[in-house]
Amino acid sequence: MERYRGRRLVSYRGAVAFPEGPRDASAATLPPLDPHVIIVFGATGDLSRRKLLPGLLHLSQAGLVAEFRIVGTSLEELGDDGFRELAREACRRFSRHPVSPEDLDSFTRRLIYVAQGAGASGLAAAVERAERELGGTPRRLYHLSIPPAAARDVVRLLGDAGLAERARVIMEKPFGTDLASARELNECVHEVFDETQIFRIDHFLGKEAAQNILALRFANGLFEPIWNRNHIDHVQIDVPETLEVGARAGFYERTGAYRDMVVTHLFQVLAFVAMEPPTALAPMAITEEKSKVFRSLRPIDPARVVRGQYEGYRAEPGVAPDSQTETFVALECGIDNWRWSGVPFFLRTGKRMAEGARIISIAFREPPQSMFPAGSGVGDFGPDHLTFDLDESSRLSLSFYGKRPGPGMTLEKLSMQFSLVEVNRERDTLEAYERLIRDAMNGDHTLFTTAEGIERLWEVSAPLLENPPEVLMYAPGSWGPGQIRDLIAPHRWRLPFERRWRELKATVA
């Protein structure tokens, strides 16, 4: 367990003493929440407009939060009316659900704005006003939708304003850029907040499909017995993006694809794939099993990494003409434990690629000997795969060989597929940020990263960060540098798919 001496974190055996309690996907059995004042730093920014404000509106519409007030703060001098109009436009434009004028009116009446120039006293006054409107002693939730470099100043501001009590803080990625900076940031945050108050967010783990990994593995007798090195040949986690860096070039120059995506997102997904069965479906138990995966990760070998940069990146505003920042990275990593010894995990992500996707692909070992005659088709299409699509529709597919109808014994690759759309449940899903915000309000750390976990990931990344391979150019709209084929050989990357997902249309009630 972990505890604190003063403000300092003291670890025992690597576990974290987070509040226990079962998680349940049914809204009817979700634990009730206390009233909250939600303080959004960077409230006028892109993340706030696209995800946070529409997400909070939907949580309110769905009855999944108690009474609340939102205090927005940013550099702009807006006032309450200006912020409310910004929120109206954001919710109309980006909400995934129908929004009535009455819903918008009810939501925006709960919004307050204070400019960051007002300082600690101005922020404290705005929070006090919101708490007075709610009555009682509501909890406080801070969402730091700001550049990582600004996080230290905001945390100190909250400490100076005396606003750390009854509070939790959501921190956006990346959490540091190497081991030293992550430790420094953890030290800074721990001066104001206990570890149990800190929620380092990864929106990938908030997706329905990511949590379906746990359900599929641990609720069924079919998969867990074969979820090991004896039956799994290799694993791929693939997150290509079609978007260019664009306005984020300044940020990207300081981070690159590895820091931005692999440490923060892909390694977190890897932990869900590779973790041992937890003792309970509870935050502390799941967090401990994820931490064991991180502790078992082998240091990243730069020789097993391909770094790329799309042609034209150096012409983006704010990018150095000789920039060596990677916009693409593919790598092999391994886990040193009994379950996964010898099983390679291949991770790939990049900007300006041929398609956008979020895929986890489990490749099973092929039979040791085939009784089928030459020309039957066995082995022509590679191993069987279990594939998770981390799209909001939560699709999964199991591929296998089956006999082609007709005379003779000719086999072809078939697949069984499932999507929430097929059972008309897609509308029941929460968007990733909605789920994670509610979990933070509830004090549930299941889908968040600990200080120990993030520092361990930077530790295994040190060999690559200290000795990165050269950056290779790739054409926009491609799948990255050609060297990625050598990296994964004798296997093949699963994207693009030979067999596409079925096109499904939701049934409108």
Side-chain angles (χ1 to χ4, degrees), residues 34-41 67-71 123-132 134 136-144 158-159 161-170 192-193 196-199 437 440-443:
D34 295 324
H36 269 74
V37 176
I38 304 162
I39 300 92
V40 179
F41 289 85
E67 187 58 31
F68 65 93
R69 293 293 185 274
I70 297 174
V71 176
L123 179 64
V127 172
E128 182 182 357
R129 172 188 161 192
E131 291 179 343
R132 191 166 57 249
L134 285 175
T137 54
R139 285 193 170 273
R140 302 159 180 161
L141 178 70
Y142 305 110
H143 196 125
L144 274 55
L158 294 173
L163 295 173
E165 300 301 322
R166 310 190 312 277
R168 298 177 176 121
V169 57
I170 297 175
V192 178
F193 297 101
T196 55
Q197 295 176 278
I198 304 166
F199 293 77
I437 288 171
M441 295 171 78
N442 190 43

Side-chain angles (χ1 to χ4, degrees), residues 219-446:
N220 300 288
L222 174 63
F223 292 106
E224 182 56 25
I226 61 172
W227 208 266
N228 54 57
R229 61 186 174 85
N230 296 321
H231 300 280
I232 292 178
D233 184 78
H234 65 280
V235 177
Q236 294 182 37
I237 303 175
D238 215 332
V239 186
E241 298 179 293
T242 58
L243 298 175
E244 60 188 15
V245 172
R248 301 179 70 225
F251 164 78
Y252 228 74
E253 279 290 273
R254 297 188 298 272
T255 55
Y258 182 83
R259 290 178 170 91
D260 182 45
M261 292 294 294
V262 177
V263 175
T264 305
H265 295 316
L266 274 62
F267 279 155
Q268 304 300 326
V269 173
L270 181 150
F272 263 32
V273 173
M275 63 187 282
E276 295 295 319
T279 56
L281 195 63
M284 188 174 76
I286 293 176
T287 296
E288 171 60 10
E289 296 307 328
K290 287 165 56 184
S291 295
K292 288 179 182 177
V293 174
F294 296 149
R295 290 196 292 268
S296 299
L297 267 178
R298 292 201 306 266
I300 304 301
D301 180 1
R304 302 297 296 159
V305 179
V306 175
R307 296 169 69 237
Q309 184 185 99
Y310 66 78
E311 296 169 359
Y313 170 75
R314 294 174 185 175
E316 303 274 13
V319 175
D322 58 349
S323 173
Q324 293 299 304
T325 299
E326 80 279 358
T327 62
F328 169 96
V329 63
L331 62 94
E332 177 187 341
C333 59
I335 300 173
D336 272 336
N337 61 26
W338 278 40
R339 182 183 291 266
W340 296 110
S341 179
V343 177
F345 285 73
F346 296 101
L347 281 53
R348 176 173 63 164
T349 185
K351 303 289 187 183
R352 294 297 306 274
M353 298 186 71
E355 294 179 20
R358 297 176 176 90
I359 298 295
I360 305 167
S361 188
I362 315 293
F364 293 98
R365 294 191 182 278
E366 298 188 73
Q369 186 172 350
S370 174
M371 66 180 184
F372 296 94
S376 65
V378 172
D380 291 351
F381 302 99
D384 300 336
H385 285 84
L386 178 63
T387 303
F388 297 86
D389 184 349
L390 301 187
D391 182 76
E392 296 301 336
S393 59
S394 188
R395 295 181 291 194
L396 64 90
S397 171
L398 179 63
S399 69
F400 55 92
Y401 283 98
K403 182 183 178 300
R404 181 182 299 169
M409 182 58 75
T410 302
L411 282 75
E412 59 186 354
K413 207 71 167 181
L414 308 173
S415 67
M416 293 187 293
Q417 297 186 7
F418 167 78
S419 170
L420 287 178
V421 176
E422 293 183 300
V423 291
N424 200 26
R425 296 296 298 272
E426 189 176 30
R427 291 174 298 175
D428 295 347
T429 64
L430 290 178
E431 198 274 334
Y433 268 101
E434 296 168 5
R435 174 179 286 105
L436 294 171
I437 288 171
R438 194 190 189 284
D439 281 357
M441 295 171 78
N442 190 43
D444 186 338
H445 281 80
T446 303

